[in-house]
Amino acid sequence: TLLYTIKFEVKMECLIGICGKDFVVVASDNLAAHSIIAIKHDSQKQFELSDKMMMAVSGDVGDMTYYAEYIQKNLKLYEMIHGYKLTPNAAANFSRKVLAQALRSHPYMVNLLLAGVEEDGTPSLYFMDYLASMVKEKFAAHGYGSFFILSTLDKYYRENMTKEETVELLKICIKEVQSRFIVNLNAFSVKVIDKDGITTLDNIPGSGTVHKDVPKEAIHPELISRA
């Protein structure tokens, strides 16, 4: 009998997802790091799967890109073959299946949030981890930042929030991470998914300092004065 030992350290990265009445807001930090080294400050961790569905992924950089693009291309191939797109529920189950099949041979060291809008306009948010567990949630978070975010969402989240209220709640969560978390996260990319598609909002800047040698094009404008 072969025994597989999977070691996956929780990354310094942070993913956040919040469901509203008929939309989902997803945010991810822009830091790419290896061990204690910040590699880049403009990393893109969000991948659009269709016009009304996307995933935010964190984890090993190689696995993150390979896995996300594998899911992305296979969903597109399914649409080309069958003539219709998978729903968020179906896409989430397919994504979980890929993680589960790879678990005992070449596991993907990734955690992810899959968000989208169902055919009836109902928002969906799925939480998945590298062990292929999956659960549908009203709000979710990954990374060390989730230790601060989940308690904040437990207190302030309520159903049927407007987009403006949800974005404000997201800002409170990010502010809490910036206030309590030891690692400086430069900025968060934010997207809103609803019946009209995916909308990209302005980045939400972090509150930490930025090293003077970091290229200015990789720094959120509001942080340049602090560099």
Side-chain angles (χ1 to χ4, degrees), residues 133-165:
S133 64
M134 181 181 77
V135 62
K136 186 177 181 180
E137 297 281 11
K138 290 294 185 182
F139 57 80
H142 274 298
Y144 281 132
S146 66
F147 299 163
F148 311 103
I149 292 166
L150 293 177
S151 58
T152 304
L153 290 172
D154 276 332
K155 181 175 182 179
Y156 294 109
Y157 176 82
R158 67 181 190 278
E159 294 187 8
N160 299 325
M161 295 176 67
T162 65
K163 291 180 183 178
E164 293 75 17
E165 291 172 334

PDB file of all heavy atoms in Angstrom, residues 133-165:
ATOM      1  N   SER A 133     -12.290  19.253  -0.961  1.00  0.00           N
ATOM      2  CA  SER A 133     -13.552  19.461  -0.248  1.00  0.00           C
ATOM      3  C   SER A 133     -14.254  20.673  -0.859  1.00  0.00           C
ATOM      4  O   SER A 133     -13.601  21.597  -1.337  1.00  0.00           O
ATOM      5  CB  SER A 133     -13.305  19.684   1.246  1.00  0.00           C
ATOM      6  OG  SER A 133     -12.562  20.859   1.457  1.00  0.00           O
ATOM      7  N   MET A 134     -15.561  20.655  -0.853  1.00  0.00           N
ATOM      8  CA  MET A 134     -16.313  21.741  -1.467  1.00  0.00           C
ATOM      9  C   MET A 134     -17.588  22.008  -0.664  1.00  0.00           C
ATOM     10  O   MET A 134     -18.248  21.082  -0.192  1.00  0.00           O
ATOM     11  CB  MET A 134     -16.690  21.405  -2.910  1.00  0.00           C
ATOM     12  CG  MET A 134     -17.462  22.524  -3.628  1.00  0.00           C
ATOM     13  SD  MET A 134     -17.925  22.103  -5.324  1.00  0.00           S
ATOM     14  CE  MET A 134     -19.330  21.019  -5.040  1.00  0.00           C
ATOM     15  N   VAL A 135     -17.913  23.280  -0.502  1.00  0.00           N
ATOM     16  CA  VAL A 135     -19.154  23.651   0.163  1.00  0.00           C
ATOM     17  C   VAL A 135     -19.654  24.964  -0.433  1.00  0.00           C
ATOM     18  O   VAL A 135     -18.863  25.825  -0.808  1.00  0.00           O
ATOM     19  CB  VAL A 135     -18.949  23.784   1.689  1.00  0.00           C
ATOM     20  CG1 VAL A 135     -17.942  24.878   2.010  1.00  0.00           C
ATOM     21  CG2 VAL A 135     -20.261  24.051   2.407  1.00  0.00           C
ATOM     22  N   LYS A 136     -20.975  25.083  -0.557  1.00  0.00           N
ATOM     23  CA  LYS A 136     -21.570  26.314  -1.049  1.00  0.00           C
ATOM     24  C   LYS A 136     -21.819  27.234   0.138  1.00  0.00           C
ATOM     25  O   LYS A 136     -22.387  26.818   1.151  1.00  0.00           O
ATOM     26  CB  LYS A 136     -22.883  26.015  -1.772  1.00  0.00           C
ATOM     27  CG  LYS A 136     -23.513  27.228  -2.455  1.00  0.00           C
ATOM     28  CD  LYS A 136     -24.778  26.831  -3.214  1.00  0.00           C
ATOM     29  CE  LYS A 136     -25.388  28.036  -3.922  1.00  0.00           C
ATOM     30  NZ  LYS A 136     -26.616  27.665  -4.663  1.00  0.00           N
ATOM     31  N   GLU A 137     -21.386  28.488   0.015  1.00  0.00           N
ATOM     32  CA  GLU A 137     -21.453  29.419   1.137  1.00  0.00           C
ATOM     33  C   GLU A 137     -22.065  30.756   0.720  1.00  0.00           C
ATOM     34  O   GLU A 137     -22.104  31.094  -0.459  1.00  0.00           O
ATOM     35  CB  GLU A 137     -20.054  29.680   1.696  1.00  0.00           C
ATOM     36  CG  GLU A 137     -19.361  28.462   2.283  1.00  0.00           C
ATOM     37  CD  GLU A 137     -19.851  28.132   3.685  1.00  0.00           C
ATOM     38  OE1 GLU A 137     -20.872  28.716   4.127  1.00  0.00           O
ATOM     39  OE2 GLU A 137     -19.229  27.294   4.345  1.00  0.00           O
ATOM     40  N   LYS A 138     -22.498  31.526   1.712  1.00  0.00           N
ATOM     41  CA  LYS A 138     -22.932  32.904   1.486  1.00  0.00           C
ATOM     42  C   LYS A 138     -21.729  33.841   1.485  1.00  0.00           C
ATOM     43  O   LYS A 138     -21.743  34.890   0.838  1.00  0.00           O
ATOM     44  CB  LYS A 138     -23.938  33.332   2.560  1.00  0.00           C
ATOM     45  CG  LYS A 138     -25.283  32.660   2.455  1.00  0.00           C
ATOM     46  CD  LYS A 138     -26.007  33.089   1.185  1.00  0.00           C
ATOM     47  CE  LYS A 138     -27.407  32.500   1.134  1.00  0.00           C
ATOM     48  NZ  LYS A 138     -28.107  32.888  -0.128  1.00  0.00           N
ATOM     49  N   PHE A 139     -20.710  33.478   2.237  1.00  0.00           N
ATOM     50  CA  PHE A 139     -19.440  34.212   2.217  1.00  0.00           C
ATOM     51  C   PHE A 139     -18.330  33.233   2.569  1.00  0.00           C
ATOM     52  O   PHE A 139     -18.564  32.216   3.231  1.00  0.00           O
ATOM     53  CB  PHE A 139     -19.450  35.408   3.176  1.00  0.00           C
ATOM     54  CG  PHE A 139     -19.745  35.063   4.614  1.00  0.00           C
ATOM     55  CD1 PHE A 139     -18.757  34.541   5.441  1.00  0.00           C
ATOM     56  CD2 PHE A 139     -21.004  35.273   5.143  1.00  0.00           C
ATOM     57  CE1 PHE A 139     -19.021  34.229   6.764  1.00  0.00           C
ATOM     58  CE2 PHE A 139     -21.284  34.971   6.466  1.00  0.00           C
ATOM     59  CZ  PHE A 139     -20.287  34.439   7.282  1.00  0.00           C
ATOM     60  N   ALA A 140     -17.122  33.531   2.095  1.00  0.00           N
ATOM     61  CA  ALA A 140     -15.999  32.606   2.312  1.00  0.00           C
ATOM     62  C   ALA A 140     -14.689  33.366   2.159  1.00  0.00           C
ATOM     63  O   ALA A 140     -14.639  34.458   1.576  1.00  0.00           O
ATOM     64  CB  ALA A 140     -16.064  31.449   1.316  1.00  0.00           C
ATOM     65  N   ALA A 141     -13.623  32.772   2.678  1.00  0.00           N
ATOM     66  CA  ALA A 141     -12.300  33.381   2.573  1.00  0.00           C
ATOM     67  C   ALA A 141     -11.242  32.297   2.670  1.00  0.00           C
ATOM     68  O   ALA A 141     -11.450  31.253   3.309  1.00  0.00           O
ATOM     69  CB  ALA A 141     -12.094  34.428   3.650  1.00  0.00           C
ATOM     70  N   HIS A 142     -10.093  32.545   2.039  1.00  0.00           N
ATOM     71  CA  HIS A 142      -8.947  31.640   2.089  1.00  0.00           C
ATOM     72  C   HIS A 142      -7.726  32.401   2.576  1.00  0.00           C
ATOM     73  O   HIS A 142      -7.632  33.627   2.425  1.00  0.00           O
ATOM     74  CB  HIS A 142      -8.639  31.071   0.697  1.00  0.00           C
ATOM     75  CG  HIS A 142      -9.418  29.839   0.340  1.00  0.00           C
ATOM     76  ND1 HIS A 142      -9.322  28.663   1.053  1.00  0.00           N
ATOM     77  CD2 HIS A 142     -10.296  29.594  -0.667  1.00  0.00           C
ATOM     78  CE1 HIS A 142     -10.102  27.741   0.502  1.00  0.00           C
ATOM     79  NE2 HIS A 142     -10.707  28.289  -0.539  1.00  0.00           N
ATOM     80  N   GLY A 143      -6.769  31.672   3.117  1.00  0.00           N
ATOM     81  CA  GLY A 143      -5.510  32.274   3.540  1.00  0.00           C
ATOM     82  C   GLY A 143      -5.515  32.668   5.005  1.00  0.00           C
ATOM     83  O   GLY A 143      -6.533  32.568   5.702  1.00  0.00           O
ATOM     84  N   TYR A 144      -4.367  33.122   5.493  1.00  0.00           N
ATOM     85  CA  TYR A 144      -4.277  33.555   6.879  1.00  0.00           C
ATOM     86  C   TYR A 144      -5.240  34.710   7.169  1.00  0.00           C
ATOM     87  O   TYR A 144      -5.740  34.852   8.282  1.00  0.00           O
ATOM     88  CB  TYR A 144      -2.848  34.006   7.200  1.00  0.00           C
ATOM     89  CG  TYR A 144      -1.880  32.880   7.453  1.00  0.00           C
ATOM     90  CD1 TYR A 144      -0.635  32.847   6.829  1.00  0.00           C
ATOM     91  CD2 TYR A 144      -2.200  31.848   8.328  1.00  0.00           C
ATOM     92  CE1 TYR A 144       0.255  31.820   7.065  1.00  0.00           C
ATOM     93  CE2 TYR A 144      -1.315  30.809   8.554  1.00  0.00           C
ATOM     94  CZ  TYR A 144      -0.081  30.797   7.928  1.00  0.00           C
ATOM     95  OH  TYR A 144       0.794  29.772   8.169  1.00  0.00           O
ATOM     96  N   GLY A 145      -5.494  35.527   6.151  1.00  0.00           N
ATOM     97  CA  GLY A 145      -6.413  36.651   6.334  1.00  0.00           C
ATOM     98  C   GLY A 145      -7.808  36.207   6.732  1.00  0.00           C
ATOM     99  O   GLY A 145      -8.553  36.968   7.358  1.00  0.00           O
ATOM    100  N   SER A 146      -8.161  34.965   6.391  1.00  0.00           N
ATOM    101  CA  SER A 146      -9.507  34.468   6.718  1.00  0.00           C
ATOM    102  C   SER A 146      -9.727  34.399   8.225  1.00  0.00           C
ATOM    103  O   SER A 146     -10.868  34.437   8.692  1.00  0.00           O
ATOM    104  CB  SER A 146      -9.728  33.087   6.095  1.00  0.00           C
ATOM    105  OG  SER A 146      -8.868  32.121   6.672  1.00  0.00           O
ATOM    106  N   PHE A 147      -8.649  34.295   9.006  1.00  0.00           N
ATOM    107  CA  PHE A 147      -8.800  34.255  10.452  1.00  0.00           C
ATOM    108  C   PHE A 147      -9.433  35.542  10.988  1.00  0.00           C
ATOM    109  O   PHE A 147     -10.123  35.530  12.002  1.00  0.00           O
ATOM    110  CB  PHE A 147      -7.444  34.054  11.125  1.00  0.00           C
ATOM    111  CG  PHE A 147      -6.755  32.762  10.757  1.00  0.00           C
ATOM    112  CD1 PHE A 147      -5.414  32.592  11.000  1.00  0.00           C
ATOM    113  CD2 PHE A 147      -7.450  31.723  10.160  1.00  0.00           C
ATOM    114  CE1 PHE A 147      -4.773  31.410  10.663  1.00  0.00           C
ATOM    115  CE2 PHE A 147      -6.830  30.535   9.815  1.00  0.00           C
ATOM    116  CZ  PHE A 147      -5.473  30.375  10.067  1.00  0.00           C
ATOM    117  N   PHE A 148      -9.174  36.642  10.294  1.00  0.00           N
ATOM    118  CA  PHE A 148      -9.751  37.924  10.697  1.00  0.00           C
ATOM    119  C   PHE A 148     -11.052  38.214   9.936  1.00  0.00           C
ATOM    120  O   PHE A 148     -11.980  38.825  10.474  1.00  0.00           O
ATOM    121  CB  PHE A 148      -8.748  39.061  10.430  1.00  0.00           C
ATOM    122  CG  PHE A 148      -7.371  38.770  10.954  1.00  0.00           C
ATOM    123  CD1 PHE A 148      -6.356  38.377  10.097  1.00  0.00           C
ATOM    124  CD2 PHE A 148      -7.094  38.869  12.308  1.00  0.00           C
ATOM    125  CE1 PHE A 148      -5.092  38.100  10.567  1.00  0.00           C
ATOM    126  CE2 PHE A 148      -5.828  38.601  12.794  1.00  0.00           C
ATOM    127  CZ  PHE A 148      -4.817  38.205  11.925  1.00  0.00           C
ATOM    128  N   ILE A 149     -11.100  37.782   8.690  1.00  0.00           N
ATOM    129  CA  ILE A 149     -12.225  38.117   7.811  1.00  0.00           C
ATOM    130  C   ILE A 149     -13.511  37.401   8.218  1.00  0.00           C
ATOM    131  O   ILE A 149     -14.580  38.009   8.253  1.00  0.00           O
ATOM    132  CB  ILE A 149     -11.870  37.775   6.346  1.00  0.00           C
ATOM    133  CG1 ILE A 149     -10.771  38.721   5.859  1.00  0.00           C
ATOM    134  CG2 ILE A 149     -13.097  37.862   5.453  1.00  0.00           C
ATOM    135  CD1 ILE A 149     -10.118  38.262   4.575  1.00  0.00           C
ATOM    136  N   LEU A 150     -13.428  36.116   8.528  1.00  0.00           N
ATOM    137  CA  LEU A 150     -14.636  35.343   8.798  1.00  0.00           C
ATOM    138  C   LEU A 150     -15.382  35.845  10.030  1.00  0.00           C
ATOM    139  O   LEU A 150     -16.609  35.874  10.045  1.00  0.00           O
ATOM    140  CB  LEU A 150     -14.286  33.853   8.947  1.00  0.00           C
ATOM    141  CG  LEU A 150     -13.802  33.175   7.664  1.00  0.00           C
ATOM    142  CD1 LEU A 150     -13.421  31.725   7.931  1.00  0.00           C
ATOM    143  CD2 LEU A 150     -14.856  33.245   6.566  1.00  0.00           C
ATOM    144  N   SER A 151     -14.645  36.249  11.051  1.00  0.00           N
ATOM    145  CA  SER A 151     -15.313  36.786  12.240  1.00  0.00           C
ATOM    146  C   SER A 151     -15.990  38.118  11.925  1.00  0.00           C
ATOM    147  O   SER A 151     -17.080  38.417  12.422  1.00  0.00           O
ATOM    148  CB  SER A 151     -14.317  36.960  13.390  1.00  0.00           C
ATOM    149  OG  SER A 151     -13.258  37.815  13.016  1.00  0.00           O
ATOM    150  N   THR A 152     -15.355  38.910  11.068  1.00  0.00           N
ATOM    151  CA  THR A 152     -15.937  40.187  10.657  1.00  0.00           C
ATOM    152  C   THR A 152     -17.212  39.966   9.842  1.00  0.00           C
ATOM    153  O   THR A 152     -18.233  40.637  10.055  1.00  0.00           O
ATOM    154  CB  THR A 152     -14.926  40.996   9.820  1.00  0.00           C
ATOM    155  OG1 THR A 152     -13.725  41.173  10.578  1.00  0.00           O
ATOM    156  CG2 THR A 152     -15.486  42.358   9.448  1.00  0.00           C
ATOM    157  N   LEU A 153     -17.169  39.006   8.923  1.00  0.00           N
ATOM    158  CA  LEU A 153     -18.348  38.698   8.115  1.00  0.00           C
ATOM    159  C   LEU A 153     -19.468  38.102   8.966  1.00  0.00           C
ATOM    160  O   LEU A 153     -20.653  38.371   8.736  1.00  0.00           O
ATOM    161  CB  LEU A 153     -17.967  37.749   6.982  1.00  0.00           C
ATOM    162  CG  LEU A 153     -17.104  38.350   5.867  1.00  0.00           C
ATOM    163  CD1 LEU A 153     -16.623  37.272   4.912  1.00  0.00           C
ATOM    164  CD2 LEU A 153     -17.873  39.419   5.103  1.00  0.00           C
ATOM    165  N   ASP A 154     -19.105  37.274   9.941  1.00  0.00           N
ATOM    166  CA  ASP A 154     -20.113  36.711  10.843  1.00  0.00           C
ATOM    167  C   ASP A 154     -20.901  37.820  11.545  1.00  0.00           C
ATOM    168  O   ASP A 154     -22.104  37.703  11.764  1.00  0.00           O
ATOM    169  CB  ASP A 154     -19.451  35.824  11.915  1.00  0.00           C
ATOM    170  CG  ASP A 154     -19.216  34.414  11.404  1.00  0.00           C
ATOM    171  OD1 ASP A 154     -19.983  33.966  10.529  1.00  0.00           O
ATOM    172  OD2 ASP A 154     -18.279  33.753  11.875  1.00  0.00           O
ATOM    173  N   LYS A 155     -20.213  38.885  11.880  1.00  0.00           N
ATOM    174  CA  LYS A 155     -20.847  39.978  12.620  1.00  0.00           C
ATOM    175  C   LYS A 155     -21.666  40.899  11.729  1.00  0.00           C
ATOM    176  O   LYS A 155     -22.782  41.298  12.093  1.00  0.00           O
ATOM    177  CB  LYS A 155     -19.776  40.784  13.354  1.00  0.00           C
ATOM    178  CG  LYS A 155     -20.344  41.928  14.186  1.00  0.00           C
ATOM    179  CD  LYS A 155     -19.269  42.640  14.991  1.00  0.00           C
ATOM    180  CE  LYS A 155     -19.873  43.755  15.841  1.00  0.00           C
ATOM    181  NZ  LYS A 155     -18.849  44.453  16.663  1.00  0.00           N
ATOM    182  N   TYR A 156     -21.134  41.236  10.542  1.00  0.00           N
ATOM    183  CA  TYR A 156     -21.753  42.294   9.740  1.00  0.00           C
ATOM    184  C   TYR A 156     -22.550  41.802   8.536  1.00  0.00           C
ATOM    185  O   TYR A 156     -23.348  42.570   7.980  1.00  0.00           O
ATOM    186  CB  TYR A 156     -20.679  43.275   9.251  1.00  0.00           C
ATOM    187  CG  TYR A 156     -20.028  44.059  10.367  1.00  0.00           C
ATOM    188  CD1 TYR A 156     -18.707  43.809  10.737  1.00  0.00           C
ATOM    189  CD2 TYR A 156     -20.728  45.052  11.062  1.00  0.00           C
ATOM    190  CE1 TYR A 156     -18.099  44.521  11.763  1.00  0.00           C
ATOM    191  CE2 TYR A 156     -20.132  45.764  12.084  1.00  0.00           C
ATOM    192  CZ  TYR A 156     -18.817  45.493  12.432  1.00  0.00           C
ATOM    193  OH  TYR A 156     -18.223  46.193  13.446  1.00  0.00           O
ATOM    194  N   TYR A 157     -22.338  40.558   8.101  1.00  0.00           N
ATOM    195  CA  TYR A 157     -23.031  40.095   6.900  1.00  0.00           C
ATOM    196  C   TYR A 157     -24.524  39.896   7.164  1.00  0.00           C
ATOM    197  O   TYR A 157     -24.929  39.428   8.225  1.00  0.00           O
ATOM    198  CB  TYR A 157     -22.439  38.774   6.411  1.00  0.00           C
ATOM    199  CG  TYR A 157     -23.193  38.197   5.229  1.00  0.00           C
ATOM    200  CD1 TYR A 157     -22.948  38.643   3.941  1.00  0.00           C
ATOM    201  CD2 TYR A 157     -24.183  37.217   5.421  1.00  0.00           C
ATOM    202  CE1 TYR A 157     -23.650  38.126   2.858  1.00  0.00           C
ATOM    203  CE2 TYR A 157     -24.883  36.704   4.347  1.00  0.00           C
ATOM    204  CZ  TYR A 157     -24.617  37.163   3.057  1.00  0.00           C
ATOM    205  OH  TYR A 157     -25.317  36.661   1.997  1.00  0.00           O
ATOM    206  N   ARG A 158     -25.325  40.261   6.180  1.00  0.00           N
ATOM    207  CA  ARG A 158     -26.747  39.939   6.202  1.00  0.00           C
ATOM    208  C   ARG A 158     -27.198  39.675   4.774  1.00  0.00           C
ATOM    209  O   ARG A 158     -26.608  40.169   3.818  1.00  0.00           O
ATOM    210  CB  ARG A 158     -27.556  41.072   6.837  1.00  0.00           C
ATOM    211  CG  ARG A 158     -27.582  42.359   6.061  1.00  0.00           C
ATOM    212  CD  ARG A 158     -28.388  43.443   6.780  1.00  0.00           C
ATOM    213  NE  ARG A 158     -28.609  44.601   5.937  1.00  0.00           N
ATOM    214  CZ  ARG A 158     -27.728  45.569   5.751  1.00  0.00           C
ATOM    215  NH1 ARG A 158     -26.551  45.514   6.369  1.00  0.00           N
ATOM    216  NH2 ARG A 158     -28.016  46.586   4.960  1.00  0.00           N
ATOM    217  N   GLU A 159     -28.227  38.907   4.630  1.00  0.00           N
ATOM    218  CA  GLU A 159     -28.719  38.564   3.298  1.00  0.00           C
ATOM    219  C   GLU A 159     -29.391  39.771   2.640  1.00  0.00           C
ATOM    220  O   GLU A 159     -29.834  40.699   3.316  1.00  0.00           O
ATOM    221  CB  GLU A 159     -29.692  37.392   3.384  1.00  0.00           C
ATOM    222  CG  GLU A 159     -29.024  36.090   3.840  1.00  0.00           C
ATOM    223  CD  GLU A 159     -29.968  34.911   3.742  1.00  0.00           C
ATOM    224  OE1 GLU A 159     -31.072  35.087   3.178  1.00  0.00           O
ATOM    225  OE2 GLU A 159     -29.604  33.830   4.220  1.00  0.00           O
ATOM    226  N   ASN A 160     -29.422  39.739   1.312  1.00  0.00           N
ATOM    227  CA  ASN A 160     -30.071  40.792   0.512  1.00  0.00           C
ATOM    228  C   ASN A 160     -29.370  42.145   0.629  1.00  0.00           C
ATOM    229  O   ASN A 160     -30.014  43.204   0.520  1.00  0.00           O
ATOM    230  CB  ASN A 160     -31.552  40.933   0.877  1.00  0.00           C
ATOM    231  CG  ASN A 160     -32.338  39.669   0.616  1.00  0.00           C
ATOM    232  OD1 ASN A 160     -32.057  38.947  -0.356  1.00  0.00           O
ATOM    233  ND2 ASN A 160     -33.296  39.364   1.464  1.00  0.00           N
ATOM    234  N   MET A 161     -28.063  42.140   0.858  1.00  0.00           N
ATOM    235  CA  MET A 161     -27.306  43.389   0.881  1.00  0.00           C
ATOM    236  C   MET A 161     -27.190  43.943  -0.533  1.00  0.00           C
ATOM    237  O   MET A 161     -27.144  43.195  -1.508  1.00  0.00           O
ATOM    238  CB  MET A 161     -25.899  43.157   1.455  1.00  0.00           C
ATOM    239  CG  MET A 161     -25.887  42.746   2.910  1.00  0.00           C
ATOM    240  SD  MET A 161     -24.217  42.365   3.517  1.00  0.00           S
ATOM    241  CE  MET A 161     -23.474  44.002   3.449  1.00  0.00           C
ATOM    242  N   THR A 162     -27.141  45.265  -0.667  1.00  0.00           N
ATOM    243  CA  THR A 162     -26.941  45.895  -1.967  1.00  0.00           C
ATOM    244  C   THR A 162     -25.458  45.789  -2.350  1.00  0.00           C
ATOM    245  O   THR A 162     -24.608  45.448  -1.516  1.00  0.00           O
ATOM    246  CB  THR A 162     -27.351  47.369  -1.938  1.00  0.00           C
ATOM    247  OG1 THR A 162     -26.471  48.082  -1.046  1.00  0.00           O
ATOM    248  CG2 THR A 162     -28.788  47.519  -1.452  1.00  0.00           C
ATOM    249  N   LYS A 163     -25.167  46.116  -3.608  1.00  0.00           N
ATOM    250  CA  LYS A 163     -23.774  46.065  -4.053  1.00  0.00           C
ATOM    251  C   LYS A 163     -22.919  47.060  -3.274  1.00  0.00           C
ATOM    252  O   LYS A 163     -21.786  46.759  -2.894  1.00  0.00           O
ATOM    253  CB  LYS A 163     -23.688  46.361  -5.554  1.00  0.00           C
ATOM    254  CG  LYS A 163     -24.285  45.270  -6.419  1.00  0.00           C
ATOM    255  CD  LYS A 163     -24.182  45.607  -7.898  1.00  0.00           C
ATOM    256  CE  LYS A 163     -24.845  44.529  -8.747  1.00  0.00           C
ATOM    257  NZ  LYS A 163     -24.811  44.834 -10.187  1.00  0.00           N
ATOM    258  N   GLU A 164     -23.468  48.253  -3.056  1.00  0.00           N
ATOM    259  CA  GLU A 164     -22.719  49.277  -2.326  1.00  0.00           C
ATOM    260  C   GLU A 164     -22.417  48.822  -0.903  1.00  0.00           C
ATOM    261  O   GLU A 164     -21.301  48.993  -0.403  1.00  0.00           O
ATOM    262  CB  GLU A 164     -23.502  50.593  -2.302  1.00  0.00           C
ATOM    263  CG  GLU A 164     -23.653  51.270  -3.666  1.00  0.00           C
ATOM    264  CD  GLU A 164     -24.667  50.585  -4.571  1.00  0.00           C
ATOM    265  OE1 GLU A 164     -25.488  49.783  -4.050  1.00  0.00           O
ATOM    266  OE2 GLU A 164     -24.642  50.835  -5.793  1.00  0.00           O
ATOM    267  N   GLU A 165     -23.398  48.221  -0.247  1.00  0.00           N
ATOM    268  CA  GLU A 165     -23.210  47.734   1.119  1.00  0.00           C
ATOM    269  C   GLU A 165     -22.201  46.588   1.157  1.00  0.00           C
ATOM    270  O   GLU A 165     -21.378  46.508   2.080  1.00  0.00           O
ATOM    271  CB  GLU A 165     -24.550  47.264   1.695  1.00  0.00           C
ATOM    272  CG  GLU A 165     -25.532  48.397   1.965  1.00  0.00           C
ATOM    273  CD  GLU A 165     -26.906  47.887   2.348  1.00  0.00           C
ATOM    274  OE1 GLU A 165     -27.252  46.748   1.943  1.00  0.00           O
ATOM    275  OE2 GLU A 165     -27.636  48.617   3.041  1.00  0.00           O
TER     276      GLU A 165
END
